[in-house]
Amino acid sequence: PEQFVPAQAPGEPWETCLTMNRSWGFNASDSDYKSASALIHTLCEVAGRGGNLLLNVGPDGDGAIPPEQAARLARMGQWIERHGEAIIGTGPG
């Protein structure tokens, strides 16, 4: 699925493809970003249903990660450092 987490996990390996805002790739005019908390919640939902989260990161024209994306990735990384064992290597529950 793209842009949502299915209510029921498919009966086969699966992943959800998700953007941090509303656009795939870099879009300077799209500032409607999901919060870091919402992205972490989605990560947990996907892991809890046995899936993989493919989170879109769109570098700008110079190849730099926009600050809004970098901040969310850093916050997710901090969460994973503290709580990763709750989702890494687990199965659907």
Side-chain angles (χ1 to χ4, degrees), residues 19 21-28 30 33 56-60 66 69:
T19 60
N21 51 14
R22 295 182 182 265
S23 303
W24 293 103
F26 177 71
N27 182 344
D30 184 355
Y33 281 90
N56 178 251
V57 177
D60 66 18
Q69 293 181 28

Side-chain angles (χ1 to χ4, degrees), residues 54-78:
L54 176 63
L55 185 60
N56 178 251
V57 177
D60 66 18
D62 294 328
I65 303 300
E68 300 86 354
Q69 293 181 28
R72 283 155 178 82
L73 292 170
R75 178 67 187 100
M76 292 177 79
Q78 291 167 350

Side-chain angles (χ1 to χ4, degrees), residues 38-90:
L39 293 170
I40 292 166
H41 182 81
T42 300
L43 173 63
C44 293
E45 278 189 298
V46 170
R49 293 184 183 132
N52 181 59
L53 176 62
L54 176 63
L55 185 60
N56 178 251
V57 177
D60 66 18
D62 294 328
I65 303 300
E68 300 86 354
Q69 293 181 28
R72 283 155 178 82
L73 292 170
R75 178 67 187 100
M76 292 177 79
Q78 291 167 350
W79 186 90
I80 289 169
E81 283 180 15
R82 283 182 282 196
H83 307 289
E85 66 186 30
I87 61 170
I88 296 171
T90 62

